[in-house]
Amino acid sequence: KQQGAAIDVWGVGTHLITSKDCPSFGGVYKLAAIQDENGVFVPKIKLSENTEKITNPGNKKSNRIYEKETGKIKADLICFADETFDENDDLLLFDPIEAGKTADEGGTYTMREMLVPVFINGECVYHSPSVMEIAEYCRQEKDTLWDETKRLFYPHNVYVDLSDRLYQVKKELLDQMSMDNL
């Protein structure tokens, strides 16, 4: 700040708030958006020299994409919470680390939102399934994995990709940060 850095948000580092040899919390929180005075989420990003640690900006949700013909998992998709998709339309996906892109032709895939609300406006809206229902759900989901993904040696990955819109916003924020540092 004394050297003129444009800082608008401060965060407390991990080493200041936890004991290094006995941490109190095994999770990590990264700010991804700030809600403005109009209730609109403004995407934010955390930079890192390690590409995998750069956060995905914005208020997000995740969807699972299945191959329509086989019912097998094609990929998981991270997108903005307000994004909607028509399974009849082509779908463009971006690898968040390698910056590659893939496309699925409309009509060849199905999609399911993975997150389910538990509380809305402070009220519980979730019905806890029975143990037997959970076991059945796990069996069904296991059947959506390809044999190549389930093998013990050299298994194939289930890819987690970004939506076109999320990728473009992330790229814009990164480009903006690069321009600000010139």
Side-chain angles (χ1 to χ4, degrees):
K1 184 92 176 162
Q2 291 173 340
Q3 296 175 355
I7 299 171
D8 56 4
V9 176
W10 295 92
V12 177
T14 306
H15 294 289
L16 293 176
I17 61 171
T18 62
S19 166
K20 189 164 178 79
D21 63 341
C22 187
S24 60
F25 186 58
V28 176
Y29 170 81
K30 302 291 182 193
L31 180 75
I34 296 176
Q35 196 171 23
D36 68 13
E37 62 276 353
N38 299 320
V40 176
F41 284 98
V42 179
K44 299 295 178 183
I45 195 166
K46 177 191 176 284
L47 298 179
S48 174
E49 290 179 6
N50 182 340
T51 310
E52 294 176 351
K53 290 186 177 182
I54 296 175
T55 59
N56 293 313
N59 188 13
K60 298 171 291 295
K61 66 180 178 183
S62 57
N63 294 307
R64 178 149 289 162
I65 302 167
Y66 300 91
E67 188 175 88
K68 192 175 223 173
E69 188 176 311
T70 64
K72 301 290 186 186
I73 295 174
K74 291 188 70 130
D76 288 339
L77 171 68
I78 301 172
C79 57
F80 286 113
D82 64 352
E83 283 189 85
T84 58
F85 301 92
D86 183 340
E87 295 172 359
N88 294 312
D89 293 339
D90 291 352
L91 182 64
L92 189 59
L93 305 172
F94 288 86
D95 184 306
I97 298 168
E98 297 297 326
K101 61 183 174 180
T102 61
D104 285 309
E105 294 180 24
T108 64
Y109 64 92
T110 61
M111 190 179 296
R112 174 180 65 85
E113 190 168 336
M114 294 171 62
L115 300 175
V116 295
V118 175
F119 288 94
I120 297 178
N121 297 324
E123 191 168 329
C124 184
V125 296
Y126 182 74
H127 165 72
S128 293
S130 70
V131 172
M132 297 308 288
E133 290 170 323
I134 293 169
E136 179 56 29
Y137 173 79
C138 290
R139 274 191 289 281
Q140 290 172 359
E141 280 300 295
K142 184 179 171 194
D143 287 343
T144 67
L145 294 171
W146 295 91
D147 289 340
E148 296 84 356
T149 306
K150 294 187 280 188
R151 65 184 176 211
L152 295 176
F153 296 102
Y154 309 110
H156 286 195
N157 293 325
V158 173
Y159 292 99
V160 179
D161 294 318
L162 304 181
S163 69
D164 182 28
R165 187 172 140 217
L166 177 55
Y167 177 79
Q168 297 306 327
V169 169
K170 183 175 184 175
K171 187 175 178 314
E172 287 171 18
L173 288 171
L174 289 170
D175 289 346
Q176 179 183 345
M177 298 303 268
S178 293
M179 293 303 290
D180 289 346
N181 290 328
L182 291 179

